[in-house]
Amino acid sequence: MNQGQFGYAYDQLRRALRHAGTDSARADGWRAVLDGMADGTLTVGSRTPVADTPAWVTLEVLHGGFASGRYLAEEPLREDEIELVRALPDGAPGTTDRERLNLHYLTDEGQAVLLGALAAGAYRVEIPEHAALMTVAWLLAHDHHAAALDLVAAVRPLMHRLRLTPVFGEPSVPAGSVVKLRSVEQVKTSLRAITTPPAIDTMRTRLRERPLYDRLVELWCETVEGELPTLRDDGVVTGGWPCRVWPADWSARRTALLTETEGVTAHPRANFTRLRTALAACETDSRSLTARDVGWVRRALANTIGKHGAPGSERRKTLREAELSVVERPTRAELAEAVAVRLDAYPDDGGVPSVEPITEDVDGWSVPDGIAVKVTRAWEAPVEELVARDVITSGEVLATVLPQITASLLAANIEDPALSALYARTYAAFRRRRGLLLLDLATQVGFTELPWVAALEPLRAHRRDTAEAARETLARTTMLALTAFPHAILPNPLVSEFGALAKQAGLRMPLVEEVAADIFMGAFTTKFRDAAVIASRVMAGSLYARYYDLPEAWSEETTTRWGRKTAADFAKVCKERAAEAHRGRVSGVAANGTVLEQGQIVTTHNLAVLADGLELWDPLMVLAPGLAARSLGWALRRAAVPATDRHAALTAVKNAAYAWRQGIFFLSFCDTEKQWRVVDELRPQLAGTDLGPAVDGLAAVVAGYRFDTDGTVHNGRRWLGWGGGQWVGVR
């Protein structure tokens, strides 16, 4: 057992236990991880981490890529399933209710239900396994008997545990190339999770009770002889005394007020409490009160009159009107519920075509911005529109919605419309799977490794129109990511989606993922070198090539590690180049990070591959000055933000250096005059920072100079994000 992995899981369990009252499921997950690692049923780092479990099973994956051992499709029976099990004939085969249901859907009756739902589109695939038996039904109905039998054989060992049928019901499939971030059901759940803090509820209750308090004060004031009591600045009570005059209807009004205030609670020393306690003792007069009690009634009246004004006064009336407006104003939770009720009119698994009708005023009260933002997550719109409206705020979020477009493009190669829809929904569900922590160059499970998807692959034609559509979508989405988030490297989920689109488009593009420094084993697959070859070719002679001293040529030295072909020359070059960052003592994760950063530098982390493969040079030439200025400026601002601890500071510097690299890539598409203009615009942003050497180094390269072997030139230095002893880092 890897002690580092065990320690990480144990720390996660401790954190979860600190919040066990609200998140006990998370703690249970980490307990399962630790138990599995201890007894050998979990192998962290494997693409099949759960013992005796095929790779296609969708696992619960916790933070950091740790599998808990739980199957997501091993779900309790829903209400409609329970009723169906009860209706099955006695002696129906199967060791569990789940197995009996799955086997029922292999009968003629069950197959008819699946085919009917498939034809009508009345189903949801929430987990990829939900599509398995519906695929069997289609294959059998279209005389692909051998493929259907092979598929049944593949899933048969887990029929007693996994739900292999879809969730039946009317889905909402948006028309055209629109996407949504969350379903209506998810948004409604988040809205209905909004509650009113107890302190706010208490305050509103107190405000509602103020009219009763005012009546109590008014009743006691009617017993005062002379002027009403008031407080002087020195705290002395002046004015008349209560309990000297008794109204004729005192007893009746007293009884009614005591009844109305029965449930009102207040502090024992509050004015309300003192006045009500005294009222309870004065059925007809004050004979039951001591002189001290009467003195407290007098002081209570003086307190409230001094603070809020006398009963019926304009001052008290104005105050109560203001308080009443607070009580009448709906709480955030009430407004959220009203908006959720409006969403009830839309299908739970769909989105909304427009946000405005749902977020318009509720009985004259404006919907808070935070609630409106939640609703926009269910808005179905073109992805560009969602980016422009700040619904999609990062490349990571973009990656979560892109499968909705990719799924349709991949499914378009299937001629049967019903099967095409099933394929698309299965793909979308598959992309919701969380990635595992993998070691030894292992790869995540691919979509076509799902047995029911593999059974359909021979039926997918490679049509030219769908390939062109995939290429167009890839180009459009790439430009969207670069222009919306120019400072951020493409996250791994987005790289995976780009890879799927490239494959559909028939493009051979070596797209590379970001590798975590704590699991890097020193080897790179050959696609990293393929990407570097493209980068060296297309960036030759550019500002980027000069700034980072890109290799001009690459050999093809390979080796084999963990059964996979690796690029030995690429790893060697990256390790040699990483020496520049080793000004201090660097080892372990930090040393890995310096090597991986060089891997990103020499490949441009997909930028050159995408620009070349999709012929994006012309649009990049137009947009480059603005993209460069935004990226470089973001890098300076990010690195200058004070960090709370060393880890946060190192992460900030790393991300800032990555943004700097992206900015230099964009700056390479500018002529020298524009490059100087961008550099000059950076200097005013250096105030209060120690980042001057970064800008000086860039300026020197723009002027035609090159960095020395130690990464310095004149007063400047090449900015790297990893390594000890760097001039920028934790201060």
Side-chain angles (χ1 to χ4, degrees):
M1 185 193 316
N2 185 298
Q3 292 302 313
Q5 296 167 356
F6 190 88
Y8 177 88
Y10 182 71
D11 287 342
Q12 292 295 320
L13 174 60
R14 291 177 58 191
R15 293 178 185 176
L17 288 173
R18 285 201 292 268
H19 307 283
T22 57
D23 198 12
S24 58
R26 181 182 171 200
D28 291 343
W30 285 108
R31 286 194 192 95
V33 170
L34 290 168
D35 291 344
M37 294 174 70
D39 63 21
T41 56
L42 282 179
T43 305
V44 177
S46 169
R47 74 198 304 266
T48 53
V50 182
D52 302 320
T53 300
W56 53 262
V57 173
T58 304
L59 303 173
E60 178 185 50
V61 180
L62 307 180
H63 184 73
F66 284 71
S68 70
R70 186 172 79 88
Y71 300 170
L72 290 186
E74 189 174 13
E75 53 190 273
L77 268 62
R78 307 192 189 196
E79 194 62 37
D80 62 317
E81 294 180 303
I82 294 174
E83 293 179 4
L84 180 54
V85 168
R86 290 172 181 164
L88 293 178
D90 294 338
T95 58
T96 66
D97 284 346
R98 177 60 68 193
E99 187 173 17
R100 280 186 278 276
L101 274 178
N102 284 327
L103 292 175
H104 164 73
Y105 281 109
L106 290 177
T107 66
D108 291 342
E109 180 184 352
Q111 293 279 287
V113 171
L114 290 172
L115 290 173
L118 178 62
Y123 65 92
R124 299 195 306 275
V125 178
E126 297 176 353
I127 300 171
E129 284 87 323
H130 290 174
L133 294 187
M134 186 171 272
T135 303
V136 170
W138 187 93
L139 290 170
L140 290 175
H142 291 78
D143 296 329
H144 298 283
H145 299 99
L149 291 175
D150 289 343
L151 174 51
V152 171
V155 300
R156 183 65 182 88
L158 288 173
M159 276 193 181
H160 65 297
R161 298 180 63 180
L162 303 182
R163 174 169 185 157
L164 300 175
T165 55
V167 179
F168 298 103
E170 292 294 334
S172 176
V173 181
S177 57
V178 297
V179 299
K180 62 181 181 296
L181 192 58
R182 296 285 185 271
S183 69
V184 166
E185 182 178 27
Q186 290 170 322
V187 171
K188 288 195 299 185
T189 299
S190 69
L191 289 173
R192 286 177 169 139
I194 296 174
T195 57
T196 302
I200 300 296
D201 268 338
T202 300
M203 180 198 73
R204 289 168 61 85
T205 299
R206 294 283 185 267
L207 294 179
R208 290 191 188 97
E209 294 167 348
R210 290 295 169 82
L212 293 175
Y213 176 47
D214 286 350
R215 287 172 55 195
L216 182 60
V217 171
E218 182 180 9
L219 185 58
W220 276 112
C221 283
E222 292 181 28
T223 71
V224 175
E225 185 177 61
E227 295 183 357
L228 294 177
T230 57
L231 275 178
R232 293 193 327 210
D233 292 342
D234 60 1
V236 175
V237 179
T238 62
W241 283 82
C243 303
R244 299 290 176 87
V245 180
W246 297 98
D249 58 352
W250 168 266
S251 181
R253 291 168 63 191
R254 164 193 170 274
T255 300
L257 196 52
L258 286 174
T259 300
E260 291 181 66
T261 57
E262 182 66 36
V264 177
T265 59
H267 192 277
R269 295 182 181 178
N271 292 331
F272 176 88
T273 303
R274 294 189 189 281
L275 293 176
R276 189 182 186 283
T277 301
L279 187 68
C282 297
E283 185 173 357
T284 57
D285 53 37
S286 59
R287 282 177 295 180
S288 298
L289 299 181
T290 66
R292 180 182 177 84
D293 293 336
V294 175
W296 275 118
V297 170
R298 184 171 181 248
R299 175 166 287 278
L301 293 176
N303 287 338
T304 185
I305 291 171
K307 188 174 183 180
H308 301 141
S313 67
E314 192 63 32
R315 180 182 171 195
R316 186 173 285 258
K317 180 180 178 182
T318 301
L319 175 64
R320 295 304 183 233
E321 287 175 351
E323 292 174 344
L324 182 61
S325 70
V326 172
V327 174
E328 290 178 342
R329 182 183 301 123
T331 65
R332 189 167 182 269
E334 290 169 341
L335 290 171
E337 174 60 27
V339 171
V341 169
R342 290 174 176 172
L343 287 171
D344 285 337
Y346 298 86
D348 279 347
D349 67 327
V352 296
S354 178
V355 173
E356 286 72 18
I358 301 165
T359 58
E360 64 184 10
D361 291 356
V362 176
D363 296 329
W365 298 100
S366 298
V367 172
D369 290 343
I371 292 176
V373 166
K374 289 181 180 292
V375 175
T376 61
R377 292 170 184 159
W379 180 27
E380 290 177 337
V383 67
E384 293 87 352
E385 182 72 12
L386 296 183
V387 169
R389 290 278 294 269
D390 289 331
V391 179
I392 295 175
T393 56
S394 69
E396 287 81 1
V397 179
L398 178 61
T400 65
V401 301
L402 189 55
Q404 297 172 45
I405 298 175
T406 309
S408 298
L409 291 171
L410 296 181
N413 283 339
I414 296 178
E415 293 184 2
D416 185 285
L419 184 62
S420 177
L422 174 62
Y423 191 93
R425 296 179 196 183
T426 307
Y427 180 85
F430 175 78
R431 283 304 186 191
R432 291 193 288 270
R433 286 174 52 141
R434 297 190 62 179
L436 291 163
L437 169 65
L438 298 178
L439 302 175
D440 303 337
L441 301 180
T443 58
Q444 300 288 344
V445 175
F447 181 54
T448 56
E449 290 183 71
L450 306 183
W452 49 99
V453 174
L456 299 179
E457 283 305 292
L459 306 177
R460 292 182 66 234
H462 295 283
R463 294 162 44 186
R464 183 173 180 178
D465 57 340
T466 57
E468 286 297 324
R471 187 187 188 286
E472 180 183 348
T473 299
L474 177 57
R476 180 165 54 90
T477 311
T478 297
M479 288 302 300
L480 178 63
L482 297 184
T483 54
F485 321 110
H487 60 280
I489 63 174
L490 300 176
N492 286 353
L494 195 56
V495 172
S496 297
E497 209 59 34
F498 282 1
L501 285 169
K503 183 178 180 181
Q504 174 75 349
L507 300 173
R508 296 178 60 86
M509 303 177 71
L511 299 173
V512 298
E513 300 81 10
E514 182 183 17
V515 180
D518 56 350
I519 63 170
F520 179 57
M521 307 295 287
F524 295 90
T525 56
T526 54
K527 71 176 179 180
F528 281 84
R529 182 184 56 214
D530 296 340
V533 169
I534 294 173
S536 292
R537 172 174 57 81
V538 303
M539 302 304 293
S542 69
L543 175 68
Y544 186 98
R546 300 197 310 274
Y547 186 91
Y548 288 112
D549 289 316
L550 287 188
E552 296 181 359
W554 290 89
S555 63
E556 293 189 5
E557 181 184 346
T558 60
T559 186
T560 300
R561 294 186 66 175
W562 304 293
R564 298 199 66 191
K565 193 175 182 181
T566 62
D569 56 327
F570 182 87
K572 179 181 178 182
V573 167
C574 291
K575 186 174 182 180
E576 291 172 349
R577 289 171 59 91
E580 179 184 325
H582 295 186
R583 292 188 176 83
R585 233 179 124 183
V586 180
S587 60
V589 173
N592 287 346
T594 62
V595 176
L596 291 170
E597 181 176 20
Q598 291 301 321
Q600 290 185 342
I601 287 172
V602 298
T603 61
T604 69
H605 195 66
N606 301 311
L607 297 183
V609 171
L610 288 166
D612 184 59
L614 299 172
E615 299 179 351
L616 302 178
W617 308 115
D618 289 343
L620 283 176
M621 290 281 287
V622 175
L623 300 171
L627 298 179
R630 288 167 59 192
S631 299
L632 297 172
W634 188 95
L636 294 181
R637 292 190 299 275
R638 185 67 186 91
V641 174
T644 56
D645 56 61
R646 179 175 175 79
H647 180 268
L650 292 174
T651 299
V653 172
K654 179 191 73 170
N655 290 336
Y658 291 176
W660 188 257
R661 184 180 72 238
Q662 300 242 138
I664 292 174
F665 176 85
F666 296 129
L667 200 59
S668 297
F669 294 91
C670 303
D671 57 35
T672 304
E673 180 182 351
K674 291 177 181 176
Q675 290 174 353
W676 276 117
R677 187 184 310 153
V678 171
V679 171
D680 290 340
E681 290 173 353
L682 294 176
R683 296 198 181 279
Q685 303 180 46
L686 293 173
T689 75
D690 57 0
L691 301 171
V695 177
D696 290 339
L698 176 57
V701 176
V702 171
Y705 295 96
R706 302 293 286 265
F707 289 108
D708 295 333
T709 55
D710 63 351
T712 61
V713 57
H714 301 318
N715 295 324
R717 174 165 291 167
R718 180 158 42 212
W719 188 348
L720 299 176
W722 284 90
Q726 286 291 304
W727 53 270
V728 61
V730 183
R731 302 181 182 88

